[in-house]
Amino acid sequence: MAKLTRSKLEEYGKKAPAKAGRALVRVGMSTCGIAAGAEEVYEALKGAVAQRNLDVDVRKCGCNGKCYAEPLVEVVSGGLPAVLYGKVDKRLALDIIDKHVINGELLNDHIYGIDEGKGE
Amino acid sequence: MKLILLKDTDGKKEEAVFQEKILAEMKKENVQGKWQVVRVADMGIYNKGVAVKILPEGFTYTGLSLDDIPALVRTSIKEGRELGEKSYGLKDKQVKIVLRNCGRIDPENIESYLESGGYQGLKKVLLELKPEQAIEELKESGLRGRGGGGFPVWMKWQFARKPESAEKFIICNGDEGDPGAYMDRSVLEGDPHSVLEGMLTAGYLVGANKGYFYIRAEYPLAITRVQNAVEQARAYGLLGENILGSGFSFEVDIRLGAGAFVCGEETALIASVEGKRGYPSPRPPYPSVKGLWGKPTVINNVETLANIPVVFSRGGKWFSSIGSPTAKGTKVFALTGKIKNSGLVEVPMGITLREIIYDIGGGMLNSYDIKAVQTGGPSGGVISREYLDTPVDYENLQKLGSIMGSGGMIVIDESDCMVDLAKFYMNFCVDESCGKCAPCRIGTTQMLEYLDSVSKGKAREDDLPRLKKVAMAVKKASLCGLGQTSPNPVLSTLRYFEEEYLEHIREGKCRAGKCKDLLQYSILQDQCRKCGLCYRNCPVNAITGNNKQGYIIEREKCIKCGNCFDVCKFEAISRG
């Protein structure tokens, strides 16, 4: 990796927040999330994406603070605001991929936050 | 896409009925376009009846009945206008500065941090501002230390900046030890680069070329992620020689704390980094003058350092626009205890405890009423419920006999005993007292003995003034912060809940049912339906009898666990 220069850093600063066309799925993987089973959920999401051959970016992230609802999975896709799902297990993870990511259909009873600012 | 979100904020699970009604009404009104009606699990609104939120407009309504739905659908969903009377004006009360990236970026990837504006603050300080200007900016921001003391950050840096010294050091204090507090862990795990950027900024302004992360060994994931962040920063040239062509060089190392609470105290922490036993030493001289290896050293808490990049990227003036007159910016609290939404909250300084507990925390966990809030861990105290409307900042909490501390906030309800609580913290302090100075070593043990005798009903009334006297002595005479603040839980519970102490002493009664030695469990024979539930749930077979003749509790065998009391459906177990 080449060293970061002033001008390179300036480019990062000017870049508008990435509006990736790709769907983004974030899994809260701090100690609290992992203790609640986030690793299993992360693997399930990764597996589901690979199996269905989808172009979805599944990423780890830190704890967003809603520890009472861990494991947390946030989905940014298809022109919708960022949707945060809580108390996610393996089965719900598959639903998130099949319904929300593929069909843009939000799941009832599992949403713990919707952030319009973070959407596309 | 229009989203219609729905939640029964009273928890009565009425959502499904409303959802059907809305769908039916929308069909009737023949609403066009793409939309979804979704039941959500948490809307950030609590105890306000059925709530509906319509996006992207952001219309929010609470306290809805089924009769409101037709008008709502017609006006707000079909025509896109706000419906006046049921509108809910309150906005989310959290402001995320420290936690800005937690839960958003990938903490294991520096690119992710750079893309979200990372290292822009550092760039500004290194390449655009003069050091004096930067310190001035920091002064304008009004940022104060978040580790508990609340010392102005610019002053600390200025003190360390002044003396001429070939070597100076920056230390990040990540030895978070208060029971129930985990803000620092979350920041280190969720956004390690922001803390590193804060350290680099401090290093440049103070004139230090070496920094240490001091992280407790109980945080393995935080350590891994910081280690990873350091390596990536090095690969990007953000650590090492001549950073960004500025001529400034900086390196960091990680030191692990071996689990001693006292090592969160700065002088003990320095001793620990030096490889010595974690003993505190008297101040002055302060570390900013004579710290690590006797050289000027800045020690800042994780949360303080995570604020630094924002102070510079968005400016001191912006930063100081948030918060209360004496405390600027935000504070992260680890909200735990008897609260519905336990987790991390970041709120502007000056918000009230009531807002934190009811508007963000979702209110009490069980049916019990709130009794008090504990802040600041073993160094802090309790604040009784009469003061829930106090704005939270350093001075206000101190006036109430507690402290802001590093950010633990434990909600206590009527099922908690204040003597038991004080005893818990005192036990912690006795365990963690390093033993160097007598007031803390002996005083905390003495205080614990008094508390123990109160909880066993063996204390006398004149023990309370003695307890207070010992507490004051420990507070005045201890060498370091651990000892000086260790009486706070005792003094503050005595201040607000003396009657509970007196009840234990005079009546041998613990109203919360926590002090086991004062409890006697027995079965009220006239209430008992002989169902045998207590009999089956007793872990030590202290309940004997059968479903014909009824049951009794054998006192000699009873361990007072309270299982029978909890499981009995007929309130046939008496405790007292």
Side-chain angles (χ1 to χ4, degrees):
Chain A
M1 174 66 213
K3 304 266 189 225
L4 204 61
T5 57
R6 178 179 185 164
S7 56
K8 186 89 190 294
L9 191 54
E10 265 157 12
E11 270 172 44
Y12 277 110
K14 279 179 202 138
K15 231 192 272 178
K19 278 192 181 176
R22 277 177 97 188
L24 171 63
V25 177
R26 300 187 188 99
V27 187
M29 300 270 275
S30 281
T31 301
C32 41
I34 292 171
E39 248 157 12
E40 212 178 78
V41 170
Y42 179 76
E43 291 307 323
L45 288 166
K46 276 269 192 197
V49 166
Q51 202 189 15
R52 290 160 181 69
N53 208 7
L54 303 171
D55 184 28
V56 176
D57 190 3
V58 181
R59 277 196 216 174
K60 294 179 184 178
C61 69
C63 165
N64 105 336
K66 292 186 193 274
C67 307
Y68 59 97
E70 295 276 9
L72 295 164
V73 172
E74 191 168 47
V75 183
V76 189
S77 86
L80 289 163
V83 176
L84 182 72
Y85 290 99
K87 300 186 183 166
V88 180
D89 56 15
K90 275 195 282 190
R91 187 191 281 173
L92 186 60
L94 298 185
D95 272 355
I96 289 173
I97 295 292
D98 288 334
K99 296 198 175 135
H100 188 143
V101 177
I102 297 180
N103 289 332
E105 187 186 320
L106 276 58
L107 304 178
N108 278 315
D109 301 323
H110 297 288
I111 296 174
Y112 282 80
I114 290 197
D115 192 331
E116 296 145 85
K118 282 201 269 179
E120 288 172 68
Chain B
M1 169 77 78
K2 205 186 256 300
L3 294 178
I4 298 127
L5 309 173
L6 188 68
K7 167 76 187 166
D8 182 352
T9 63
D10 290 339
K12 290 191 200 130
K13 305 207 186 300
E14 304 258 310
E15 292 94 345
V17 186
F18 276 76
Q19 191 179 27
E20 268 173 40
K21 175 86 177 168
I22 292 176
L23 287 170
E25 211 49 49
M26 287 177 76
K27 201 169 173 193
K28 211 160 84 189
E29 290 285 339
N30 194 19
V31 178
Q32 301 295 316
K34 282 173 85 180
W35 45 263
Q36 288 185 46
V37 181
V38 187
R39 305 190 300 267
V40 302
D42 186 348
M43 207 187 261
I45 299 170
Y46 306 98
N47 303 318
K48 297 270 188 300
V50 174
V52 167
K53 190 168 187 174
I54 298 162
L55 295 177
E57 290 88 348
F59 301 148
T60 310
Y61 305 105
T62 54
L64 294 170
S65 67
L66 284 171
D67 297 340
D68 296 321
I69 298 302
L72 187 143
V73 169
R74 201 178 329 109
T75 323
S76 286
I77 299 177
K78 195 175 180 197
E79 296 165 15
R81 286 184 295 117
E82 187 157 23
L83 199 61
E85 67 259 43
K86 298 271 175 178
S87 196
Y88 181 75
L90 286 177
K91 288 272 174 306
D92 187 2
K93 292 191 169 157
Q94 298 204 52
V95 175
K96 304 236 170 165
I97 295 179
V98 174
L99 301 178
R100 63 193 179 281
N101 291 326
C102 286
R104 293 198 59 181
I105 66 165
D106 181 349
E108 296 176 1
N109 187 350
I110 188 172
E111 283 287 329
S112 192
Y113 182 66
L114 286 165
E115 280 163 13
S116 68
Y119 290 107
Q120 296 296 327
L122 178 72
K123 188 202 77 181
K124 199 168 154 193
V125 174
L126 284 185
L127 307 170
E128 290 159 27
L129 298 177
K130 290 200 186 92
E132 299 77 33
Q133 284 176 313
I135 297 266
E136 210 38 55
E137 188 92 38
L138 192 56
K139 187 175 174 183
E140 193 182 7
S141 77
L143 177 64
R144 295 168 64 178
R146 297 290 192 252
F151 195 77
V153 176
W154 74 271
M155 244 192 241
K156 207 182 228 183
W157 289 17
Q158 185 78 312
F159 285 149
R161 182 177 149 74
K162 267 191 212 149
E164 289 284 329
S165 172
E167 271 186 307
K168 293 180 185 178
F169 299 100
I170 308 294
I171 298 178
C172 164
N173 184 349
D175 191 64
E176 185 177 45
D178 290 358
Y182 58 98
M183 306 73 50
D184 295 349
R185 192 200 73 211
S186 276
V187 174
L188 290 172
E189 285 178 357
D191 193 13
H193 281 286
S194 71
V195 184
L196 185 59
E197 187 180 345
M199 281 175 84
L200 276 156
T201 312
Y204 175 70
L205 292 178
V206 167
N209 299 112
K210 177 88 192 176
Y212 290 95
F213 275 97
Y214 189 87
I215 308 172
R216 61 188 298 202
E218 292 94 327
Y219 287 173
L221 187 64
I223 295 161
T224 316
R225 290 203 174 144
V226 168
Q227 183 79 51
N228 174 64
V230 167
E231 279 158 22
Q232 288 184 352
R234 201 171 284 141
Y236 274 63
L238 289 162
L239 282 173
E241 303 283 319
N242 193 15
I243 294 162
L244 296 175
S246 64
F248 166 63
S249 303
F250 198 76
E251 257 310 328
V252 297
D253 250 333
I254 300 173
R255 290 284 180 273
L256 306 187
F261 181 63
V262 73
C263 286
E265 197 280 334
E266 56 184 17
T267 59
L269 188 152
I270 286 174
S272 174
V273 173
E274 288 173 351
K276 296 178 195 149
R277 184 170 181 165
Y279 265 167
S281 44
R283 297 178 307 181
Y286 285 90
S288 46
V289 182
K290 204 169 170 234
L292 187 62
W293 320 113
K295 304 284 193 280
T297 303
V298 165
I299 301 191
N300 281 135
N301 164 270
V302 169
E303 194 184 331
T304 314
L305 290 168
N307 269 301
I308 299 290
V310 185
V311 168
F312 290 107
S313 64
R314 304 202 60 169
K317 197 167 178 188
W318 176 82
F319 192 87
S320 68
S321 70
I322 300 162
S324 78
T326 56
K328 302 300 183 190
T330 59
K331 178 78 193 95
V332 183
F333 288 103
L335 192 58
T336 55
K338 306 288 170 58
I339 183 111
K340 259 192 202 126
N341 301 343
S342 53
L344 290 184
V345 302
E346 182 169 359
V347 290
M349 296 275 190
I351 194 171
T352 66
L353 289 167
R354 189 182 300 281
E355 286 172 283
I356 297 178
I357 293 164
Y358 290 97
D359 296 342
I360 301 172
M364 302 303 287
L365 183 63
N366 303 316
S367 54
Y368 293 106
D369 266 348
I370 185 167
K371 189 190 251 181
V373 178
Q374 206 282 344
T375 65
S379 313
V382 296
I383 297 166
S384 103
R385 64 176 166 215
E386 293 108 74
Y387 298 95
L388 285 185
D389 290 311
T390 311
V392 173
D393 64 23
Y394 298 95
E395 283 74 20
N396 279 331
L397 293 190
Q398 214 155 18
K399 264 186 243 157
L400 293 174
S402 187
I403 59 165
M404 177 93 89
S406 58
M409 186 177 276
I410 302 172
V411 179
I412 295 160
D413 71 12
E414 296 284 358
S415 69
D416 295 307
C417 167
M418 300 319 265
V419 178
D420 191 57
L421 182 94
K423 202 170 121 182
F424 168 81
Y425 283 113
M426 199 46 69
N427 241 320
F428 183 87
C429 290
V430 169
D431 274 350
E432 295 296 344
S433 172
C434 77
K436 186 176 181 182
C437 72
C440 171
R441 181 182 66 238
I442 301 170
T444 51
T445 305
Q446 277 188 336
M447 286 190 281
L448 181 62
E449 278 167 8
Y450 280 124
L451 291 170
D452 196 50
S453 68
V454 173
S455 76
K456 288 188 169 135
K458 289 180 184 158
R460 298 194 324 215
E461 230 167 281
D462 56 357
D463 281 343
L464 290 187
R466 284 194 207 107
L467 173 59
K468 268 187 213 166
K469 205 169 169 187
V470 176
M472 291 316 288
V474 173
K475 194 173 182 151
K476 273 198 183 135
S478 291
L479 173 61
C480 81
L482 193 162
Q484 287 156 13
T485 57
S486 65
N488 283 349
V490 175
L491 291 171
S492 65
T493 47
L494 272 173
R495 173 169 169 184
Y496 298 114
F497 301 98
E498 192 170 7
E499 83 276 16
E500 274 191 44
Y501 280 81
L502 290 172
E503 240 170 46
H504 282 74
I505 296 169
R506 287 181 190 155
E507 302 165 42
K509 183 179 143 195
C510 173
R511 61 169 89 169
K514 280 278 151 80
C515 296
K516 284 187 182 171
D517 292 289
L518 301 180
L519 300 179
Q520 287 290 6
Y521 287 90
S522 55
I523 295 172
L524 303 169
Q525 296 301 336
D526 47 342
Q527 301 257 35
C528 177
R529 311 277 181 93
K530 300 173 186 163
C531 69
L533 202 54
C534 57
Y535 171 76
R536 288 195 296 277
N537 278 285
C538 178
V540 291
N541 298 326
I543 299 179
T544 53
N546 57 48
N547 58 10
K548 297 211 171 59
Q549 280 152 347
Y551 298 88
I552 51 159
I553 299 175
E554 290 181 29
R555 296 228 164 127
E556 320 65 84
K557 281 193 191 165
C558 176
I559 55 164
K560 299 170 185 176
C561 67
N563 266 6
C564 52
F565 185 85
D566 292 336
V567 297
C568 182
K569 294 194 169 83
F570 310 109
E571 296 183 5
I573 309 276
S574 98
R575 179 172 77 177

